[in-house]
Amino acid sequence: MKLDARIPEGPLAEKWDNHRFDMKLVNPANKRKYRVIVVGSGLAGASAAATLGELGYHVDCFCFQDSPRRAHSIAAQGGINAAKNYQNDGDSIYRLFYDTVKGGDYRSREANVYRLAQLSVNIIDQCAAQGVPFAREYGGLLANRSFGGAQVSRTFYARGQTGQQLLLGAYSALSRQIGLGTVAMHNRHEMLDVVLVDGHAKGIITRDLVSGAIERWAADAVILATGGYSTVFFLSTNAAGCNVTAAWRAHKRGAGFANPCFTQIHPTCIPQEGEHQSKLTLMSESLRNDGRVWVPKSAEDAGKPASAIPEAERDYYLERKYPSFGNLAPRDISSRSAKEACDDGRGVGTTGRGVYLDFADAIERLGADTIAERYGNLFEMYQRITGESAYERPMRIYPAPHYTMGGLWVDYNLMTTIPGLFAIGECNFSDHGANRLGASALMQGLCDGYFVVPYTVGDYLARTTPGAASVDDDAFAETEADVRAQQDKLLTVRGKRSSRSLHIELGRVMWEKCGMARSKEGLKEAIAEIPELREAFWNDVRIPGRPDEFNQELERAGRVADFLEFAELMCVDALDRDESCGGHFRVEHQTEDGEAVRNDEKYAHVSVWEYKGVGKKPKKHREELVYDEVEFSTRSYK
């Protein structure tokens, strides 16, 4: 495996503009000769498919949901960052770039992050033109609010429905292209493998989730926009259907997997209440603008109602520990601080795994009507789930797995180590380092889909012959045979356990030993336990039904099988990275007051893993991280 990041020469602020000029173009009349596959129809996939269709390419877009509108992007609540500086509070493209590099604990690629900040301003214009109902000030200008890890207001929002509204905007653009015939939408299809012809990605194999049919699809390039893998923990804020399958199958075909251990724990989730749950519910980080996080100062008060604890006996620990950022400290720091308070016996709620998010001061200062205007739908959702009103008593929150910064390795053009295979949005590694700042996921997905990959995939296609691969090629037959063989293997085990039960066990191992805090001892235990779970799966899983029909147990089992392989790589990567940085917190490397201690001398690089077989040690490659515009420094939010 050869890593070539293809970062353009020249000043950082000019790299993308110069690179766009240097890239080859496809003649408008020739674009109709090329076919592109886009896997995924969330913000990244829908925006990419719509833009490529608008440019004139023939696009096949696939999703396993019944509609693109059900992509997990819809669940994002709080907002989308952009360096517009409408508040005139000192924001700029460079400040957004710097905040993102610092927020990622200096483990992201400088050139990609600057491009993201640079293009962020275009995203807002694009979405506003599509009719996305961003919140506005009284005079009509778009409103902004603050988010974690920033001291400026740069987050655009649509109440607590930002992801939903942005996705509807992208879906409208996608629907237009479907109507024009440039995009063919394939709902209820799951990608099960990527097809390589002479080393280049030239198609995919899918399963029709309604009929069970295995199908071949050929194209001149393949774009993966399949999201993250936080459901490796079983319980997460992600939809239960989110998975690693597309990225993992691509990895097994030769795509490098970068920094898989970089996972984010979100500090603002409704605590788990029982074993019946299949996912956890996110409460937007935007709530931390007006809500104050606290726990009792004394463990003796933890069991008391919040109203019975006087102000003098409350520990507003984020305001105490990080006075400059307070309740808007970044997610990794806020999550660990909540865990520390609960580990100290001061957690609240029936499980003791919760902290308060209190709006009493904001309601007194601004009035309940203003708070309802800002967060009313979030308060309603919280009340429906918990039976408690956040207007009358504090919310209870606790950290939960949320976003994954790791993903398929891509170069500056967002192409993986497999030529012709691109990865965009959350399924690549490139922009967030070891910790994503809040409201930056939507920014990256739309940036990649609308403004980056349409250029870079064109540069690749301009160097290839259209229609060079056919579904009748031997490579398609061989890959389809591999897919059918695994499916048959799953169905012939005929054991006694459900794949869900094994997924729950895997999730417990991952949360306890590769979750919010990690240790050398715990990671070694996980690396020993995961193969045992994998063996139990292949010896004792039971999947009812047939392959040639609607079979959700078969769907689930395939995804769990991939998680049981991928989880081992996550732990290997976490054990190899012998430092603390961002969301990767190794307990051996922390200051006296619990802050992460990086090792820039040994680990200022991207860890890119090459697949060597199930149960075999993967091969590590390194992309050294070089910063020309920012200097390594201890990340401080105090």
Side-chain angles (χ1 to χ4, degrees), residues 127 200 346 397 400 448 468:
C127 295
H200 287 242
R346 296 183 292 142
I397 58 170
D448 288 355

Side-chain angles (χ1 to χ4, degrees), residues 413-431:
N413 285 350
L414 306 184
M415 189 160 67
T416 69
T417 52
I418 298 175
L421 180 66
F422 296 78
I424 62 176
E426 190 177 356
C427 77
N428 78 33
F429 87 101
S430 63
D431 291 356

Side-chain angles (χ1 to χ4, degrees), residues 169-191:
Y171 177 68
S172 67
L174 177 63
S175 296
R176 179 172 182 270
Q177 296 307 315
I178 293 171
L180 292 171
T182 62
V183 177
M185 191 70 220
H186 306 279
N187 302 338
R188 302 298 288 155
H189 281 69
E190 182 171 26
M191 173 192 147

Side-chain angles (χ1 to χ4, degrees), residues 81-103:
N81 287 331
K84 285 287 197 180
N85 195 33
Y86 284 166
Q87 306 298 308
N88 199 29
D89 56 1
D91 200 13
S92 64
I93 289 172
Y94 191 89
R95 188 176 294 279
L96 175 54
F97 154 71
Y98 177 79
D99 285 349
T100 305
V101 172
K102 177 184 175 183

Side-chain angles (χ1 to χ4, degrees), residues 264-268 288 317-318 329-341 398-400 511 516:
Q264 182 175 78
I265 311 300
H266 198 293
T268 317
R288 294 199 281 153
Y317 56 85
L318 290 177
R331 292 177 175 179
D332 57 325
I333 290 171
S334 300
S335 294
R336 284 199 298 274
S337 296
K339 181 178 183 297
E340 289 169 9
Y398 192 69
W511 177 244
M516 233 188 308

Side-chain angles (χ1 to χ4, degrees), residues 281-555:
T281 303
L282 172 70
M283 298 309 295
S284 170
E285 184 172 297
S286 63
L287 294 168
R288 294 199 281 153
N289 273 285
D290 289 307
R292 300 179 70 191
V293 180
W294 65 274
V295 292
K297 288 183 177 179
S298 169
E300 286 74 28
D301 291 336
K304 296 179 180 179
S307 58
I309 303 173
E311 186 72 19
E313 297 303 318
R314 299 179 179 187
D315 179 13
Y316 295 91
Y317 56 85
L318 290 177
E319 298 172 31
R320 170 175 56 82
K321 294 169 68 175
Y322 308 104
S324 292
F325 284 75
N327 295 297
L328 288 173
R331 292 177 175 179
D332 57 325
I333 290 171
S334 300
S335 294
R336 284 199 298 274
S337 296
K339 181 178 183 297
E340 289 169 9
C342 293
D343 289 346
D344 195 32
R346 296 183 292 142
V348 301
T350 56
T351 64
R353 290 284 155 184
V355 300
Y356 287 129
L357 181 61
D358 195 340
F359 290 86
D361 287 354
I363 290 172
E364 183 179 350
R365 184 177 73 253
L366 301 169
D369 289 345
T370 298
I371 296 302
E373 183 180 331
R374 293 178 180 178
Y375 313 112
N377 60 315
L378 297 171
F379 278 41
E380 180 183 355
M381 181 169 67
Y382 181 82
Q383 184 165 15
R384 287 185 177 184
I385 292 172
T386 65
E388 300 174 4
S389 171
Y391 295 104
E392 299 171 1
R393 63 177 72 176
M395 286 184 178
R396 290 175 294 107
I397 58 170
Y398 192 69
H402 179 55
Y403 190 86
T404 55
M405 287 76 66
L408 293 176
W409 184 90
V410 292
D411 62 17
Y412 189 72
N413 285 350
L414 306 184
M415 189 160 67
T416 69
T417 52
I418 298 175
L421 180 66
F422 296 78
I424 62 176
E426 190 177 356
C427 77
N428 78 33
F429 87 101
S430 63
D431 291 356
H432 306 299
N435 174 62
R436 176 177 68 77
L437 290 184
S440 287
L442 305 182
M443 176 175 63
Q444 186 207 353
L446 292 178
C447 174
D448 288 355
Y450 281 136
F451 300 113
V452 180
V453 83
Y455 286 99
T456 59
V457 78
D459 178 67
Y460 169 77
L461 293 174
R463 305 167 193 272
T464 65
T465 302
S470 164
V471 293
D472 297 323
D473 292 346
D474 290 344
F476 280 85
E478 292 167 4
T479 308
E480 180 184 336
D482 291 342
V483 167
R484 290 185 181 276
Q486 185 183 35
Q487 185 173 266
D488 292 342
K489 184 179 178 183
L490 285 167
L491 288 164
T492 54
V493 176
R494 295 294 177 185
K496 297 179 181 179
R497 297 191 59 180
S498 69
S499 57
R500 185 179 190 274
S501 70
L502 289 152
H503 192 181
I504 290 172
E505 279 196 42
L506 174 67
R508 286 179 183 145
V509 171
M510 295 302 291
W511 177 244
E512 291 171 6
K513 296 172 183 178
C514 195
M516 233 188 308
R518 301 153 182 194
S519 68
K520 181 178 181 179
E521 180 183 1
L523 289 166
K524 285 185 173 180
E525 290 173 359
I527 291 169
E529 291 171 17
I530 292 169
E532 294 175 0
L533 278 174
R534 193 163 60 234
E535 184 178 2
F537 175 90
W538 286 108
N539 287 330
D540 203 22
V541 72
R542 182 173 182 82
I543 304 166
R546 306 192 314 270
D548 56 342
E549 64 180 4
F550 180 74
N551 190 336
Q552 290 187 304
E553 283 303 310
L554 179 59
E555 292 173 37

Side-chain angles (χ1 to χ4, degrees), residues 13 17 26 29 40 49 112 166 228 262-263 288 293-294 299 331 421 483 501 538-539 556 572 591 605 608 624 633:
D17 290 336
V26 179
N112 287 65
L166 290 171
F262 282 174
T263 55
R288 294 199 281 153
V293 180
W294 65 274
R331 292 177 175 179
L421 180 66
V483 167
S501 70
W538 286 108
N539 287 330
R556 186 198 304 272
V572 167
T591 63
H605 64 259
V608 187
E624 301 298 333
S633 63

